[in-house]
């Protein structure tokens, strides 16, 4: 895995909305329907709210367009601070 340096800048996240332990190889009617039960960002499973759906916004075929996704996640802790301040400082 490549080392990320500050000069690399921000990058888009890899978001996976999957049904664990399922495949879409079943060719019977209704057999390839996916019922997602796991949300991952950059490979890390996260707690998502069952009451709030994952929304994948309209996808454009333009080469310069990006995909937007809205998630409601359950957070254990939220930190809003200056990057160089030590975590938890007042």
């Amino acid at each position: 895995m490549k080392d990320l340096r500050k000069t690399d800048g921000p990058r888009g996240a890899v978001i996976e909305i999957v049904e664990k332990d399922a495949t879409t190889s079943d060719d019977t009617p209704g057999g390839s329907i996916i019922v997602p039960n796991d949300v991952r960002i950059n490979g890390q499973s996260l707690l998502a709210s069952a009451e709030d759906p994952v929304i994948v916004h309209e996808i454009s075929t333009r080469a310069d367009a990006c995909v937007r996704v809205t998630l409601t996640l359950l957070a254990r802790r939220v930190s809003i601070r200056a990057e160089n301040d030590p975590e938890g400082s007042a």
Side-chain angles (χ1 to χ4, degrees):
M1 189 163 145
K2 182 183 169 209
D3 244 356
L4 290 180
R5 295 181 185 88
K6 285 190 179 217
T7 57
D8 290 341
R11 300 192 304 177
V14 175
I15 297 177
E16 300 169 275
I17 304 163
V18 300
E19 181 177 1
K20 287 184 180 179
D21 304 319
T23 64
T24 56
S25 60
D26 186 353
D27 58 0
T28 61
S32 62
I33 294 173
I34 297 171
V35 181
N37 57 8
D38 192 20
V39 176
R40 303 172 189 157
I41 296 180
N42 294 337
Q44 178 69 47
S45 290
L46 303 168
L47 291 173
S49 170
E51 289 81 35
D52 296 304
V54 174
I55 300 169
V56 178
H57 297 272
E58 176 178 307
I59 298 173
S60 170
T61 57
R62 288 181 35 176
D64 63 344
C66 62
V67 177
R68 292 185 321 130
V69 177
T70 300
L71 299 169
T72 300
L73 302 174
L74 304 173
R76 179 176 49 141
R77 181 173 54 127
V78 176
S79 175
I80 301 171
R81 59 189 173 81
E83 181 179 23
N84 294 322
D85 285 349
E87 216 169 321
S89 67

